[in-house]
Amino acid sequence: MVGVLARAHQATQELTPLLGGLVSRFAQQGYPLYLVGGSVRDAALGRLGEDMDFTTPARPQIIKEILEDWAETVWDTGIDYGTVSAAYHGQQVEITTFRSDVYDGDSRNPEVTYGDSLEGDLVRRDFRVNAMAIELAPDGQHRFHDPLGGLQDLAAGVLDTPAAPELSFHDDPLRMLRAARFASQLEFRVAPRVRAAMADMAGEIRRITVERVQVELDKLMCGQRPEAGLDLLCESGIAEHIFPEIPALAMETDEHAQHKDVYAHSLQVLRQAIDQEEDGPDLVLRWAALLHDIGKPDTREFTDGRVSFHHHEVVGAKLARKRLRALKYPKAVIQDVGQLVYLHMRFHGFGEGQWTDSAVRRYVTDAGDLLPRLHKLVRADCTTRNPRKAARLQRTYDHLEERIAHIAAQEDLARVRPDLDGNAIMEILGLEPGPQVGKAWTFLKELRLEEGPLEREEAIARLRAWWQEQKG
C-alpha cells in the first residue's frame, strides 16, 4: 500500500511545474484545491492521463474567474452543476465545487447543492477507490486525504461503495454499470455486497437513458478485460435489461446434442480478437466479436440427435443492428458491426483450396473497408481445442489471404466496378437515365466479379448480348 501511495505522490509532484500557477491562484484567493476521484486513483496506479478532476470549496463563479486568469481556454457548460473546465498546455482540467447532492429516487438527476467539506464531497462518490483526494500546495508539500479507505481498496483491487451499495445505487443506478466498467478497465473484483446489491436492484437500470448506457458499455468494451465486466452484467441480471441478446447466448445444452457454450465461446472470440489489435481498442471489432453468434439462440434446431444453427449469421446481423440502433449507436457503427456479423461465416462456406477467383472477389468486395477486421474476426472465431483442426483452419485462412493478395496484385480488388460506367452504358444502348441503366450496371458488376477485368470491346459485346436477351 505504501508503494501505491508513493506513486500517487510522485505523479502529483510531476504536475507541479504545469499546475503550480493554478494552485497558487487558488491559494491567493484563500481556497484549497484538491486533485480528486478517478484522477487520484489513476495517479496511484501509475496511469494518470491528460484529463484531471479537481474539487474546491470555491463557488463556480470564482473558479471561472481564476481559470480565466490562468488557462488558455475556459468553458462553463457544466457550471449549473458546479463545474468549470479549462485547457492549459495540452492538459484538460475540470474543477467542481464541493457537492452535497440530494437525489429524487426517480431519475439519476440530483438536486445540486454545494457542500462545505471535503469529506462530505468524497462520501457522495460512487466507489471508495474514487473517493480519495490530494490537497495541492503551492510549496509542493501536497497532502493525501483518504477518509473512507479507498487506498486500501485500491491496493487490494476491490470495488466497494462508500455507504451501503443499495443507497448508492438507488441514488444513481448508473453506478452499477460503472462497477462493471471498472471491473473491465481496472481489472478489479467487485465486493460481495456490491455484487449482491446489483443483482437485487438490476431493474433500476431502466431509469438510465440509453445514451448513458451506451457510453458506459463502450468504456467497458474498450477496457483491459471486457469479459469481466460482461460477466458481472450477466450474472447480476443487468444485461437482461440493457442487452438481453448477450445473456441469451448462455443456452442450455441438450444432453443428446452437445454444442459449445456459445456465451463462453463468444467471450473467448472477443479475447482473441483483442489479442490481434494493433493500434489500441477497436470498438467495432470488439462488438462484432462478442455478437457474431447472437443469432444462434433463435436458429437452433435439433435433427437426428444433431444440433444446427442454419443462417445464424443472417439472423444475428439483424439482431445486432436492431439492438445497437435501440442503444442509439452511430449509423456507421451499426452498419459495420452488422456487416461483420453477417460475413463471419462466409469463409466456412468454402473448403480448403476451393476458393475460385470469383469467390475471392466477392469476399473482398462485400467486406470493403472492413476486410482487415473481417480477417481478425474469422481468425478469432477459431476456438477449437483440437490442435490439428485449429492449425488446418488457420492454414486455410492463410491460403485465402494469399489468394487475395495474388489477385489484388493483378486487379484493383479494393474498387471492383463494372468495366463500363453509367454514361457509357446509356451511350452504347441508347438509353435515358432510369432503371434499365441500373440493371445493366448490375449485370456488368456481376460479370466483373465472375470473370475479372475485361477489355473494353469485350465488355461492350457482352453488354449488347445481354441487352438483346432482355428485349427478347
Side-chain angles (χ1 to χ4, degrees):
M1 194 158 68
V2 174
V4 175
L5 183 58
R7 281 199 301 269
H9 276 297
Q10 177 63 32
T12 309
Q13 291 293 338
E14 291 173 358
L15 292 173
T16 300
L18 180 68
L19 300 177
L22 178 63
V23 176
S24 296
R25 283 169 172 78
F26 271 89
Q28 289 166 9
Q29 294 281 346
Y31 295 105
L33 183 66
Y34 304 87
L35 186 70
V36 73
S39 295
V40 177
R41 178 201 71 216
D42 289 346
L45 292 172
R47 52 197 284 181
L48 183 61
E50 295 181 352
D51 297 342
M52 295 186 295
D53 296 327
F54 299 86
T55 190
T56 177
R59 292 300 189 254
Q61 191 56 44
I62 295 174
I63 296 174
K64 183 179 179 182
E65 291 172 0
I66 293 174
L67 285 175
E68 287 177 340
D69 184 53
W70 170 76
E72 298 156 351
T73 307
V74 177
W75 58 97
D76 60 4
T77 51
I79 199 167
D80 290 342
Y81 293 92
T83 300
V84 184
S85 304
Y88 179 76
H89 289 193
Q91 191 81 44
Q92 182 171 316
V93 301
E94 187 175 275
I95 306 178
T96 302
T97 301
F98 286 167
R99 295 267 292 271
S100 180
D101 301 336
V102 177
Y103 290 82
D104 59 18
D106 294 322
S107 68
R108 64 176 295 267
N109 299 318
E111 177 185 338
V112 177
T113 57
Y114 299 128
D116 55 8
S117 71
L118 174 65
E119 289 73 15
D121 182 88
L122 295 178
V123 76
R124 56 172 282 277
R125 294 177 180 268
D126 53 4
F127 300 102
R128 293 196 301 230
V129 294
N130 295 332
M132 300 179 287
I134 296 177
E135 185 175 356
L136 304 176
D139 61 2
Q141 299 300 309
H142 308 316
R143 181 183 171 199
F144 186 73
H145 294 263
D146 182 22
L148 301 168
L151 190 63
Q152 183 174 351
D153 283 1
L154 192 71
V158 174
L159 284 173
D160 203 350
T161 51
E166 292 81 3
L167 295 175
S168 180
F169 298 157
H170 179 71
D171 282 347
D172 186 359
L174 185 69
R175 290 169 176 168
M176 295 190 290
L177 273 183
R178 286 169 64 84
R181 187 242 289 188
F182 289 134
S184 169
Q185 288 182 326
L186 304 177
E187 302 182 67
F188 281 14
R189 67 183 187 277
V190 177
R193 68 170 189 162
V194 172
R195 185 181 293 269
M198 290 174 67
D200 290 341
M201 303 178 68
E204 292 289 302
I205 202 66
R206 293 194 297 266
R207 288 164 46 193
I208 305 302
T209 65
V210 294
E211 291 88 351
R212 292 300 299 144
V213 169
Q214 182 220 111
V215 169
E216 289 298 324
L217 284 177
D218 282 355
K219 290 179 179 179
L220 182 159
M221 289 295 289
C222 288
Q224 295 293 322
R225 290 188 63 236
E227 59 270 31
L230 291 165
D231 272 341
L232 182 57
L233 291 181
C234 291
E235 291 169 5
S236 65
I238 292 173
E240 292 282 357
H241 299 283
I242 60 175
F243 213 131
E245 293 83 2
I246 297 174
L249 291 170
M251 297 180 288
E252 293 184 6
T253 304
D254 183 271
E255 61 179 347
H256 301 298
Q258 298 293 319
H259 61 79
K260 287 182 180 179
D261 180 334
V262 181
Y263 175 74
H265 164 75
S266 298
L267 292 188
Q268 185 177 349
V269 173
L270 171 59
R271 172 47 51 192
Q272 292 179 176
I274 291 172
D275 291 341
Q276 297 179 70
E277 290 175 338
E278 301 160 312
D279 300 309
D282 183 336
L283 185 63
V284 167
L285 176 64
R286 293 188 180 199
W287 272 122
L290 176 64
L291 303 179
H292 75 286
D293 276 348
I294 63 167
K296 282 191 171 181
D298 287 350
T299 58
R300 183 172 62 167
E301 293 182 352
F302 297 109
T303 306
D304 298 328
R306 299 177 64 84
V307 65
S308 64
F309 305 95
H310 292 306
H311 302 303
H312 74 271
E313 72 278 12
V314 178
V315 174
K318 291 179 180 178
L319 288 174
R321 293 187 188 106
K322 182 178 180 181
R323 178 56 56 190
L324 295 177
R325 196 176 298 117
L327 288 168
K328 298 189 178 181
Y329 272 84
K331 288 183 179 179
V333 173
I334 296 170
Q335 292 169 355
D336 287 352
V337 173
Q339 186 70 351
L340 285 170
V341 172
Y342 177 73
L343 292 174
H344 86 274
M345 289 296 293
R346 182 76 63 86
F347 162 72
H348 298 283
F350 295 87
E352 189 170 357
Q354 295 179 358
W355 283 83
T356 65
D357 287 357
S358 173
V360 173
R361 293 188 195 99
R362 291 180 185 279
Y363 191 77
V364 173
T365 300
D366 289 347
D369 293 338
L370 294 173
L371 185 62
R373 285 178 170 135
L374 183 59
H375 289 332
K376 295 174 183 176
L377 176 59
V378 174
R379 289 186 182 277
D381 195 21
C382 175
T383 60
T384 179
R385 295 180 182 179
N386 184 323
R388 290 186 178 180
K389 183 178 179 182
R392 185 176 70 252
L393 286 170
Q394 296 298 343
R395 185 172 61 249
T396 302
Y397 206 84
D398 287 342
H399 178 62
L400 172 58
E401 289 203 57
E402 291 168 4
R403 291 286 308 285
I404 291 172
H406 175 72
I407 297 176
Q410 301 173 320
E411 310 172 16
D412 187 2
L413 278 183
R415 292 190 299 271
V416 174
R417 292 186 174 86
D419 295 289
L420 303 170
D421 62 18
N423 290 328
I425 290 171
M426 288 188 288
E427 180 181 348
I428 293 165
L429 300 182
L431 296 175
E432 296 294 327
Q436 295 295 340
V437 178
K439 291 180 181 179
W441 190 93
T442 300
F443 162 74
L444 289 172
K445 175 69 176 293
E446 288 296 313
L447 189 64
R448 172 72 170 78
L449 288 168
E450 285 292 331
E451 302 184 19
L454 300 176
E455 294 293 337
R456 181 176 176 81
E457 292 305 317
E458 173 66 13
I460 292 173
R462 298 288 287 275
L463 174 63
R464 284 175 171 161
W466 170 83
W467 183 238
Q468 288 300 319
E469 292 178 3
Q470 297 301 303
K471 292 195 299 183

